[in-house]
Amino acid sequence: MSVSSQFFIDLERGELCALDRFLERSRSTLNAAVLETSSAALSSALQAMQQTVRHAVQQLEKDALINEVSVAMQLLDEQADAAALAFRRLTVSELDLMLEDEEVSNDASLALWKILDVIGPIEVRL
């Protein structure tokens, strides 16, 4: 039986917008790159995250004075595991190619680190 857990991620405006762009472009890229992960779990995790992030982006657009927002995400265990595995395997160069902008890529990278800090242990590869 899958357990659903809710977690909060504090993201700055740039990180949130970059995460939205990443999630929009990532489904096919990550599903193809991460063969050991259940693509259904990963796809549903990305979709759940994207809905939450889009809602937060809309809230930020209404108030230009807000620079940071706490985003509530809810994932099943298998979704969190699939997302953590996919995010850990993503390289900086893959992010750069996917997002086509170094600043957006840096902000997306920070957002993904914050998510990984909550859903799975961070592994640093040099």
Side-chain angles (χ1 to χ4, degrees), residues 9-25:
I9 307 289
D10 292 329
L11 297 170
E12 293 180 12
R13 181 180 292 273
E15 294 168 347
L16 184 65
C17 293
L19 182 60
D20 183 44
R21 187 169 171 184
F22 165 77
L23 290 169
E24 180 181 312
R25 295 180 177 195

Side-chain angles (χ1 to χ4, degrees), residues 1-74:
M1 182 174 190
S2 295
V3 177
S4 178
S5 58
Q6 184 172 3
F7 54 94
F8 293 89
I9 307 289
D10 292 329
L11 297 170
E12 293 180 12
R13 181 180 292 273
E15 294 168 347
L16 184 65
C17 293
L19 182 60
D20 183 44
R21 187 169 171 184
F22 165 77
L23 290 169
E24 180 181 312
R25 295 180 177 195
S26 67
R27 283 192 205 165
S28 61
T29 305
L30 289 179
N31 278 330
V34 185
L35 300 175
E36 300 90 34
T37 303
S38 164
S39 64
L42 178 56
S43 187
S44 64
L46 295 173
Q47 184 176 17
M49 286 183 199
Q50 188 172 27
Q51 288 173 347
T52 303
V53 167
R54 285 247 165 102
H55 179 71
V57 167
Q58 291 171 352
Q59 295 304 314
L60 279 181
E61 289 173 351
K62 292 178 184 177
D63 190 345
L65 297 177
I66 297 175
N67 191 42
E68 186 172 279
V69 65
S70 186
V71 180
M73 295 189 184
Q74 187 165 352

